[in-house]
Amino acid sequence: MKQYGLIGFPLSHSFSKKYFTEKFEKENITDAEYQLYPLEHIKDLQDLLDVHPDLCGLNVTIPHKINVIKYLDWVEHDARAAGAVNCIRIHAESPVLAAFSGEVGVNGHDFRLEGFNTDLYGFEMSLRPLLNNREYDALVLGDGGAARAVKCVLENLGISYKVVTRTPNADNLLFKDLKPHHIDQHKLIINTTPLGTAPNIDECPPIPYEYITSDHILYDLIYNPEKTLFLKKGEEQGATIKNGYEMLILQAEKSWEIWTSKEKHP
Protein backbone atom coordinates (compact mmCIF):
# COMPACT_ATOMS: atom_id res chain seq x y z
CA MET A 1 0.00 0.00 0.00
CA LYS A 2 1.46 3.36 -1.06
CA GLN A 3 1.28 5.92 1.71
CA TYR A 4 0.75 9.66 1.30
CA GLY A 5 0.02 12.27 3.90
CA LEU A 6 0.25 15.70 5.44
CA ILE A 7 2.81 16.95 7.95
CA GLY A 8 2.32 20.04 10.08
CA PHE A 9 1.29 21.02 13.58
CA PRO A 10 -1.36 21.11 14.76
CA LEU A 11 -3.50 19.19 12.27
CA SER A 12 -6.94 19.70 13.76
CA HIS A 13 -8.66 19.57 10.39
CA SER A 14 -7.44 18.77 6.91
CA PHE A 15 -8.78 19.54 3.48
CA SER A 16 -6.10 17.25 2.03
CA LYS A 17 -7.09 14.05 3.85
CA LYS A 18 -10.76 14.42 2.91
CA TYR A 19 -9.89 15.34 -0.67
CA PHE A 20 -7.48 12.49 -1.33
CA THR A 21 -9.58 9.87 0.48
CA GLU A 22 -12.56 10.80 -1.70
CA LYS A 23 -10.36 10.94 -4.79
CA PHE A 24 -9.02 7.43 -4.19
CA GLU A 25 -12.54 6.07 -3.69
CA LYS A 26 -14.00 7.88 -6.72
CA GLU A 27 -11.15 6.89 -9.05
CA ASN A 28 -10.90 3.34 -7.69
CA ILE A 29 -7.30 3.82 -6.58
CA THR A 30 -7.02 0.87 -4.20
CA ASP A 31 -3.28 0.77 -3.56
CA ALA A 32 -2.95 4.20 -1.87
CA GLU A 33 -4.05 5.89 1.31
CA TYR A 34 -3.65 9.39 2.76
CA GLN A 35 -3.05 10.02 6.46
CA LEU A 36 -2.32 12.90 8.79
CA TYR A 37 1.09 12.96 10.47
CA PRO A 38 1.17 15.67 13.17
CA LEU A 39 4.82 16.69 13.37
CA GLU A 40 5.60 19.34 15.94
CA HIS A 41 9.31 19.60 15.08
CA ILE A 42 10.54 19.29 11.51
CA LYS A 43 13.77 17.67 12.74
CA ASP A 44 11.63 14.58 13.41
CA LEU A 45 10.95 14.12 9.68
CA GLN A 46 13.72 11.51 9.44
CA ASP A 47 12.13 9.42 12.21
CA LEU A 48 8.71 9.68 10.55
CA LEU A 49 10.10 8.34 7.28
CA ASP A 50 11.91 5.52 9.08
CA VAL A 51 8.68 4.46 10.83
CA HIS A 52 6.65 4.68 7.59
CA PRO A 53 8.88 3.21 4.85
CA ASP A 54 5.95 3.05 2.39
CA LEU A 55 5.58 6.83 2.26
CA CYS A 56 5.78 8.06 -1.34
CA GLY A 57 4.70 11.66 -0.91
CA LEU A 58 3.91 14.30 1.66
CA ASN A 59 2.13 17.61 1.72
CA VAL A 60 3.60 20.17 4.08
CA THR A 61 1.67 22.80 5.99
CA ILE A 62 2.18 25.30 8.82
CA PRO A 63 4.67 25.66 10.43
CA HIS A 64 7.11 23.61 8.32
CA LYS A 65 6.90 24.99 4.75
CA ILE A 66 10.09 27.01 5.13
CA ASN A 67 12.24 25.00 7.53
CA VAL A 68 11.65 21.71 5.71
CA ILE A 69 13.85 22.88 2.83
CA LYS A 70 17.13 22.13 4.60
CA TYR A 71 16.10 18.48 4.97
CA LEU A 72 15.55 17.95 1.24
CA ASP A 73 17.94 16.64 -1.40
CA TRP A 74 16.57 18.65 -4.32
CA VAL A 75 14.23 21.64 -4.52
CA GLU A 76 12.42 22.72 -7.67
CA HIS A 77 13.27 26.21 -8.99
CA ASP A 78 10.05 28.06 -8.16
CA ALA A 79 9.87 26.50 -4.69
CA ARG A 80 13.38 27.80 -4.06
CA ALA A 81 12.37 31.22 -5.39
CA ALA A 82 9.37 31.28 -3.08
CA GLY A 83 11.46 29.96 -0.19
CA ALA A 84 8.74 27.48 0.74
CA VAL A 85 7.88 23.84 0.03
CA ASN A 86 4.44 22.28 0.45
CA CYS A 87 4.93 19.02 -1.47
CA ILE A 88 7.62 16.34 -1.10
CA ARG A 89 8.19 13.41 -3.41
CA ILE A 90 9.98 10.50 -1.76
CA HIS A 91 12.15 8.02 -3.65
CA ALA A 92 13.41 4.96 -1.84
CA GLU A 93 16.86 5.26 -3.32
CA SER A 94 20.20 6.72 -2.39
CA PRO A 95 20.34 10.44 -3.31
CA VAL A 96 23.76 10.20 -4.95
CA LEU A 97 22.78 12.47 -7.82
CA ALA A 98 21.96 15.30 -5.43
CA ALA A 99 25.62 15.47 -4.49
CA PHE A 100 26.37 16.70 -7.99
CA SER A 101 23.34 18.94 -8.51
CA GLY A 102 24.34 21.68 -6.09
CA GLU A 103 20.66 22.32 -5.37
CA VAL A 104 20.53 21.27 -1.73
CA GLY A 105 22.99 19.15 0.19
CA VAL A 106 22.62 15.40 0.69
CA ASN A 107 21.34 14.59 4.16
CA GLY A 108 22.71 11.09 4.74
CA HIS A 109 19.49 9.11 4.41
CA ASP A 110 18.80 6.15 2.14
CA PHE A 111 16.02 7.84 0.17
CA ARG A 112 15.75 10.96 -1.95
CA LEU A 113 13.49 13.84 -0.94
CA GLU A 114 12.39 16.29 -3.65
CA GLY A 115 10.62 19.54 -2.76
CA PHE A 116 7.99 21.43 -4.75
CA ASN A 117 5.53 24.25 -4.15
CA THR A 118 2.17 23.35 -5.68
CA ASP A 119 0.59 26.47 -4.13
CA LEU A 120 2.31 28.39 -6.93
CA TYR A 121 0.55 26.35 -9.59
CA GLY A 122 -2.78 26.42 -7.77
CA PHE A 123 -2.74 30.17 -7.26
CA GLU A 124 -1.57 31.01 -10.77
CA MET A 125 -4.06 28.75 -12.55
CA SER A 126 -6.97 30.01 -10.44
CA LEU A 127 -5.96 33.67 -10.87
CA ARG A 128 -5.27 33.72 -14.63
CA PRO A 129 -8.94 33.51 -15.78
CA LEU A 130 -9.75 36.64 -13.76
CA LEU A 131 -7.12 38.80 -15.42
CA ASN A 132 -8.64 38.81 -18.93
CA ASN A 133 -5.36 39.94 -20.48
CA ARG A 134 -5.55 43.26 -18.63
CA GLU A 135 -2.62 44.78 -16.78
CA TYR A 136 -2.91 45.00 -13.01
CA ASP A 137 -0.93 46.25 -10.06
CA ALA A 138 -1.56 44.30 -6.87
CA LEU A 139 -1.79 44.79 -3.13
CA VAL A 140 -0.74 41.70 -1.18
CA LEU A 141 -2.32 41.82 2.27
CA GLY A 142 -0.02 40.12 4.78
CA ASP A 143 3.56 38.93 4.49
CA GLY A 144 3.61 35.52 6.17
CA GLY A 145 4.30 32.11 4.67
CA ALA A 146 1.16 32.15 2.50
CA ALA A 147 2.30 35.37 0.83
CA ARG A 148 5.50 33.76 -0.48
CA ALA A 149 3.76 31.76 -3.21
CA VAL A 150 1.55 34.71 -4.12
CA LYS A 151 4.50 37.07 -4.55
CA CYS A 152 6.41 34.52 -6.61
CA VAL A 153 3.46 34.03 -8.98
CA LEU A 154 2.93 37.77 -9.37
CA GLU A 155 6.60 38.17 -10.25
CA ASN A 156 6.36 35.33 -12.79
CA LEU A 157 3.32 37.03 -14.36
CA GLY A 158 5.02 40.43 -14.46
CA ILE A 159 2.50 41.97 -12.05
CA SER A 160 3.99 44.64 -9.80
CA TYR A 161 2.81 44.62 -6.22
CA LYS A 162 3.04 46.25 -2.82
CA VAL A 163 2.84 44.27 0.40
CA VAL A 164 0.62 45.61 3.19
CA THR A 165 1.36 44.72 6.82
CA ARG A 166 0.46 45.86 10.32
CA THR A 167 4.07 46.44 11.38
CA PRO A 168 6.88 48.17 9.47
CA ASN A 169 9.05 45.87 7.35
CA ALA A 170 11.33 46.88 4.47
CA ASP A 171 9.30 48.95 2.00
CA ASN A 172 5.92 47.45 2.91
CA LEU A 173 2.88 49.68 3.20
CA LEU A 174 1.11 49.76 6.56
CA PHE A 175 -2.61 49.07 6.79
CA LYS A 176 -3.07 52.29 8.76
CA ASP A 177 -1.41 54.30 5.98
CA LEU A 178 -3.55 53.05 3.09
CA LYS A 179 -5.09 55.93 1.20
CA PRO A 180 -7.68 56.13 -1.61
CA HIS A 181 -4.96 56.40 -4.25
CA HIS A 182 -3.44 53.08 -3.12
CA ILE A 183 -6.76 51.34 -3.74
CA ASP A 184 -7.26 53.16 -7.02
CA GLN A 185 -3.79 52.26 -8.33
CA HIS A 186 -3.94 48.59 -7.31
CA LYS A 187 -6.91 46.90 -8.91
CA LEU A 188 -5.91 43.40 -7.75
CA ILE A 189 -6.09 42.89 -3.97
CA ILE A 190 -5.07 39.52 -2.50
CA ASN A 191 -5.66 38.55 1.13
CA THR A 192 -3.00 36.16 2.43
CA THR A 193 -3.79 36.81 6.11
CA PRO A 194 -5.97 34.43 8.20
CA LEU A 195 -8.39 37.28 9.00
CA GLY A 196 -11.93 36.08 8.38
CA THR A 197 -11.25 32.35 8.65
CA ALA A 198 -14.02 30.40 10.40
CA PRO A 199 -14.97 30.64 13.19
CA ASN A 200 -13.79 34.30 13.20
CA ILE A 201 -15.99 35.23 10.27
CA ASP A 202 -16.61 38.81 11.45
CA GLU A 203 -12.99 39.81 10.86
CA CYS A 204 -11.44 41.24 7.71
CA PRO A 205 -8.27 43.08 6.69
CA PRO A 206 -8.55 46.79 7.60
CA ILE A 207 -8.52 48.44 4.18
CA PRO A 208 -10.73 51.32 2.91
CA TYR A 209 -13.31 49.16 1.14
CA GLU A 210 -15.39 52.21 0.13
CA TYR A 211 -12.84 52.97 -2.62
CA ILE A 212 -13.10 49.55 -4.27
CA THR A 213 -14.88 49.59 -7.63
CA SER A 214 -16.20 47.22 -10.26
CA ASP A 215 -12.74 47.37 -11.87
CA HIS A 216 -11.21 45.59 -8.87
CA ILE A 217 -10.50 41.92 -8.27
CA LEU A 218 -10.48 40.70 -4.66
CA TYR A 219 -8.91 37.27 -4.13
CA ASP A 220 -8.92 35.59 -0.71
CA LEU A 221 -6.75 32.55 -0.05
CA ILE A 222 -9.27 31.54 2.64
CA TYR A 223 -11.90 29.00 1.57
CA ASN A 224 -13.82 28.57 4.84
CA PRO A 225 -16.17 30.38 4.91
CA GLU A 226 -16.88 30.33 1.20
CA LYS A 227 -17.42 34.09 1.20
CA THR A 228 -15.34 35.94 3.78
CA LEU A 229 -16.19 39.41 5.03
CA PHE A 230 -13.30 40.67 2.86
CA LEU A 231 -15.01 39.22 -0.22
CA LYS A 232 -18.49 40.36 0.84
CA LYS A 233 -17.29 43.94 1.22
CA GLY A 234 -15.65 43.78 -2.19
CA GLU A 235 -18.76 42.29 -3.79
CA GLU A 236 -20.89 45.08 -2.31
CA GLN A 237 -18.68 47.54 -4.20
CA GLY A 238 -19.11 45.61 -7.46
CA ALA A 239 -15.69 43.93 -7.48
CA THR A 240 -14.96 40.53 -8.96
CA ILE A 241 -14.30 38.11 -6.07
CA LYS A 242 -12.76 34.67 -5.66
CA ASN A 243 -11.89 32.47 -2.70
CA GLY A 244 -9.08 29.94 -2.30
CA TYR A 245 -11.04 26.74 -2.89
CA GLU A 246 -10.09 26.22 -6.53
CA MET A 247 -6.46 26.95 -5.63
CA LEU A 248 -6.65 24.12 -3.06
CA ILE A 249 -8.09 21.67 -5.60
CA LEU A 250 -5.47 22.58 -8.20
CA GLN A 251 -2.55 22.33 -5.78
CA ALA A 252 -3.80 18.95 -4.53
CA GLU A 253 -4.05 17.57 -8.06
CA LYS A 254 -0.60 18.96 -8.87
CA SER A 255 0.77 17.15 -5.80
CA TRP A 256 -0.72 13.88 -7.05
CA GLU A 257 0.77 14.47 -10.49
CA ILE A 258 4.20 15.03 -8.93
CA TRP A 259 3.98 11.96 -6.67
CA THR A 260 3.01 9.65 -9.52
CA SER A 261 5.35 11.12 -12.14
CA LYS A 262 8.22 9.06 -13.49
CA GLU A 263 10.22 12.19 -14.28
CA LYS A 264 13.79 12.16 -12.99
CA HIS A 265 15.31 15.30 -11.55
CA PRO A 266 19.04 16.01 -11.43
Side-chain angles (χ1 to χ4, degrees):
M1 182 72 72
K2 294 175 182 175
Q3 302 282 335
Y4 303 90
L6 175 69
I7 60 171
F9 193 86
L11 296 178
S12 54
H13 63 279
S14 167
F15 163 87
S16 297
K17 179 174 171 58
K18 182 176 185 293
Y19 181 82
F20 281 107
T21 299
E22 292 177 354
K23 174 184 174 67
F24 296 159
E25 291 173 357
K26 183 171 58 179
E27 299 181 17
N28 198 30
I29 299 171
T30 58
D31 63 342
E33 63 178 11
Y34 193 102
Q35 299 292 340
L36 300 183
Y37 300 103
L39 200 68
E40 186 171 3
H41 304 291
I42 193 59
K43 64 180 176 57
D44 296 327
L45 176 61
Q46 173 78 52
D47 292 340
L48 176 74
L49 296 171
D50 289 340
V51 171
H52 300 281
D54 293 328
L55 272 170
C56 300
L58 288 169
N59 288 126
V60 184
T61 190
I62 295 169
H64 301 319
K65 288 187 178 184
I66 298 168
N67 290 334
V68 73
I69 291 177
K70 63 178 174 283
Y71 294 90
L72 307 178
D73 302 302
W74 179 87
V75 178
E76 179 262 343
H77 173 269
D78 275 351
R80 270 189 290 123
V85 160
N86 77 323
C87 175
I88 300 172
R89 185 166 72 161
I90 303 164
H91 292 294
E93 61 187 32
S94 177
V96 174
L97 287 176
F100 301 99
S101 71
E103 299 285 352
V104 178
V106 179
N107 289 288
H109 40 236
D110 57 356
F111 39 78
R112 175 175 163 85
L113 303 179
E114 298 176 349
F116 302 82
N117 192 317
T118 61
D119 286 338
L120 295 169
Y121 174 82
F123 177 64
E124 179 174 345
M125 291 301 106
S126 63
L127 176 66
R128 275 184 179 275
L130 303 178
L131 301 178
N132 294 321
N133 296 317
R134 291 178 55 192
E135 291 189 5
Y136 288 88
D137 291 336
L139 290 178
V140 178
L141 309 183
D143 201 17
R148 289 174 174 250
V150 168
K151 291 188 290 184
C152 190
V153 168
L154 294 178
E155 289 164 8
N156 288 346
L157 293 176
I159 296 174
S160 64
Y161 63 86
K162 292 291 291 185
V163 176
V164 188
T165 52
R166 288 186 182 275
T167 56
N169 182 23
D171 60 347
N172 291 358
L173 287 168
L174 297 179
F175 278 106
K176 68 181 182 65
D177 293 336
L178 282 178
K179 299 292 190 292
H181 73 270
H182 292 125
I183 303 300
D184 181 59
Q185 290 170 5
H186 300 85
K187 295 296 197 295
L188 173 60
I189 305 177
I190 303 153
N191 178 39
T192 73
T193 78
L195 290 170
T197 307
N200 302 314
I201 60 173
D202 295 327
E203 297 179 348
C204 64
I207 66 172
Y209 291 93
E210 62 270 26
Y211 300 110
I212 289 169
T213 69
S214 58
D215 290 329
H216 281 81
I217 297 170
L218 269 61
Y219 189 114
D220 201 330
L221 267 58
I222 296 168
Y223 68 96
N224 181 23
E226 182 177 339
K227 193 180 291 184
T228 59
L229 187 56
F230 168 74
L231 294 181
K232 286 179 181 177
K233 285 176 173 285
E235 187 177 49
E236 288 169 2
Q237 297 293 120
T240 299
I241 64 171
K242 188 163 191 172
N243 69 18
Y245 186 72
E246 185 186 24
M247 174 181 169
L248 269 181
I249 299 292
L250 290 167
Q251 69 85 15
E253 284 298 324
K254 189 65 173 179
S255 292
W256 182 247
E257 178 186 320
I258 288 167
W259 294 334
T260 56
S261 171
K262 305 298 184 186
E263 182 181 358
K264 297 288 186 181
H265 299 289

